[in-house]
Structures are given as structure tokens and as C-alpha cells.
Amino acid sequence: MNNNIEQLLGIMRQLRDPQHGCPWDVQQDFASIAVYTIEEAYEVADAIQRGDLPELKGELGDLLLQVVFHSQIAQEQLAFGFNDVVQAICEKMIRRHPHVFGQAAESSQAVDVDSVRQTWESIKQAERAGKTKKRGAGKGSLLDDIPRGMAELQRACKLQKRAASAGFDWNSAEQVMTKLHEETAELEAALLQQEQADIQEELGDLFFTLANVARKLNIDPAQTLRSANMKFERRFRAVEQIAGGKTAMQSMDISALEAIWQEVKRVEKGQENMQSSSSHE
């Protein structure tokens, strides 16, 4: 294991060598490869979604390469190295799991998921307080450590969850649904006025409220949207096949295409019901 890691670190050092390395790799910095880091994380999630374990192995390697790449750039700037990254995450995991690594681990008392989550959040809150203290009194916010580079749907939920920890939250999903109807009405009003800036703002409010609905229902909105995208892609491909391809589709009116779409849905639902019945036999 250690030999493999050392080999990977050596490969990256060689790629970044100003004299004998790869011109593209040498040219990169934190900002230029950040987009690839995010992309690789999504590809890991995609492999998991598809249940493709061989693919997952490769994508995890690509993601690990991004960690090594960032670490090498930092090493060159004498900021930190890969070993510092590993040490920091080891210390954090031990600190955030006192029920496993601390004195509580010696107790025979059972620890449930809810208590673990509460402990995790309280420790994270203490860590945030420490960061705020370093910055100086009055300069910190509960929202400070929520990264701006995060996928916006995920960031919306993170912002809402953090605000909720201070008591700034709806009491129920039903209340958020009322807000959702309100935001929908405001978008409809903006559409009537045909003011593009207002339309964009109201649409953003609608997205933000939808994320809040998902949070209150304990549903991952990104995963939910990913599943919806996959469903649409699967059904659209079926429509394409039945219609006879892109050219044939372009010659059909929307009512004919909608009829094919509904048939694809009906067949798919029937297959799902058959599978469900078989699993209960």
C-alpha cells in the first residue's frame, strides 16, 4: 500500500518537474484543476449510481489523483504536503469519533446513529467557533465555512441546515410547501410583467424553496434530481427508438411525440409492477 502511494506521489512530482515534466501539468495551479476535482467527484457518484464497481475503482483513483495534484502544488509552495493532508484528516476523524477512539469507546453502552450525529455536529460547531475566534470577535458567521464552489443545490441545503441550527427554520414541511406555492405565484406574476431580472430572481427563490422542501423531508435533492434526469434520459431514448431517430422526430408534431412518451411510461410502469410482484412472491 505505502509503495503504491509513494509511486503515485513520485509520478506527480515528475509530471510537475519544470525541466522534464509534462508542460500541461506544470502549467496548472489550484484554480485551474479545481474544476477537474469537482468533475471527478461527480464521476465517482455516477459510478455508484450505476452500481458499476470496476468503474468506481477507476474513478476513485482519478479522484485520489486530484488530491495528490493539489498536495504537490502546495508542497512546491512550501505550504503543506500530502502527508500533512493525511495527518489532518486522521486527526479530524479521531476527534469527531470519540465514541470509537475516545474514553467513550471503552464503555459498553450502546451508541445509536442519532447520538453520533449530534456529537458530530457539536464537535463541528466547536471547530467553527475556534476558527471564528482566530479571525476575531464579531467577524464570524455560521455560514462562513460553507464553500462557494459547492454545487448550488447542495449548497442551498447546507445554508438552510446551518441557519436552522440557530432556530431560523420552518416548523414543518407543510409550512415550506405553503412558501413554495407563494414563490410559484410570484414567479407567475413576474412572467406576466416580462421583466427578465425579476423572472430570474423569482425562479431562484423557487429553486431555493424546493431545496428546503427536500431538506424538511430528509430527501437528498441532488440525488433526487439525478434520478429524475436518468429517468428522463431513459424514456427519451425509448421515444427516439420508437419514433425512428432524430430526423423522424423532427417531422412529428408534439401530440404524436407525447403519445409515444405516454406509451413508454405505461410500459415502464407495467415492468416495474411486474418486478415488484415477483419480489413479493
Side-chain angles (χ1 to χ4, degrees):
M1 176 67 73
N2 287 339
N3 288 339
N4 290 338
I5 290 294
E6 287 301 326
Q7 182 182 17
L8 179 58
L9 294 172
I11 289 171
M12 182 50 65
R13 283 194 298 270
Q14 186 169 344
L15 288 172
R16 290 279 298 177
D17 186 278
Q19 301 299 324
H20 307 291
C22 169
W24 185 89
D25 289 278
V26 171
Q27 192 179 49
Q28 304 313 305
D29 57 22
F30 293 123
S32 67
I33 64 171
V35 62
Y36 301 110
T37 308
I38 295 170
E39 182 179 314
E40 295 300 350
Y42 277 122
E43 290 182 1
V44 166
D46 180 61
I48 293 171
Q49 177 77 17
R50 291 183 285 105
D52 190 336
L53 294 184
E55 187 73 12
L56 177 60
K57 178 182 70 175
E59 297 301 346
L60 286 172
D62 292 343
L63 187 58
L64 175 59
L65 179 64
Q66 293 299 308
V67 177
V68 170
F69 207 150
H70 284 288
S71 299
Q72 176 60 30
I73 294 173
Q75 181 79 61
E76 293 163 6
Q77 297 180 12
L78 303 180
F80 60 83
F82 180 79
N83 287 338
D84 300 307
V85 173
V86 174
Q87 182 179 350
I89 191 60
C90 286
E91 291 174 354
K92 180 185 290 185
M93 288 299 98
I94 292 172
R95 183 172 65 250
R96 292 186 179 181
H97 293 82
H99 56 289
V100 177
F101 302 105
Q103 293 181 350
E106 301 174 2
S107 172
S108 59
Q109 184 176 356
V111 179
D112 59 25
V113 174
D114 287 338
S115 64
V116 169
R117 186 180 293 112
Q118 290 172 5
T119 300
W120 178 277
E121 290 298 333
S122 65
I123 293 173
K124 286 180 65 177
Q125 187 173 352
E127 291 172 353
R128 286 194 295 271
K131 292 178 182 178
T132 299
K133 187 175 181 180
K134 287 182 179 180
R135 282 190 293 265
K139 296 183 180 179
S141 166
L142 277 172
L143 310 180
D144 280 346
D145 62 340
I146 299 177
R148 295 184 182 275
M150 181 182 289
E152 295 302 337
L153 190 57
Q154 183 182 2
R155 189 165 186 267
C157 287
K158 198 83 170 179
L159 290 167
Q160 293 161 3
K161 183 178 179 182
R162 192 66 60 78
S165 70
F168 192 74
D169 194 16
W170 302 101
N171 292 325
S172 67
E174 288 74 21
Q175 289 181 331
V176 188
M177 286 300 298
T178 299
K179 182 64 175 176
L180 182 65
H181 296 317
E182 178 185 318
E183 296 295 351
T184 302
E186 291 179 1
L187 176 59
E188 290 172 345
L191 286 169
L192 290 175
Q193 296 298 320
Q194 289 296 303
E195 291 290 342
Q196 189 63 26
D198 291 342
I199 292 171
Q200 182 171 342
E201 180 179 351
E202 296 302 341
L203 185 58
D205 291 345
L206 187 60
F207 278 135
F208 191 81
T209 305
L210 272 172
N212 217 346
V213 172
R215 181 183 64 85
K216 295 299 287 187
L217 294 174
N218 293 318
I219 293 174
D220 181 351
Q223 176 63 39
T224 302
L225 183 57
R226 188 179 299 115
S227 296
N229 286 342
M230 292 177 66
K231 180 172 66 175
F232 176 83
E233 182 180 4
R234 182 177 65 246
R235 290 177 176 176
F236 184 82
R237 289 178 184 275
V239 170
E240 281 182 313
Q241 186 174 8
I242 294 171
K246 176 182 176 181
T247 303
M249 287 181 68
Q250 290 174 337
S251 66
M252 300 170 67
D253 61 33
I254 188 61
S255 60
L257 292 172
E258 176 64 18
I260 298 175
W261 178 270
Q262 292 300 327
E263 176 62 17
V264 168
K265 285 178 61 177
R266 187 189 65 78
V267 172
E268 192 173 272
K269 291 287 186 182
Q271 292 172 343
E272 290 174 357
N273 290 337
M274 288 179 60
Q275 292 175 354
S276 179
S277 297
S278 299
S279 65
H280 287 87
E281 289 180 356

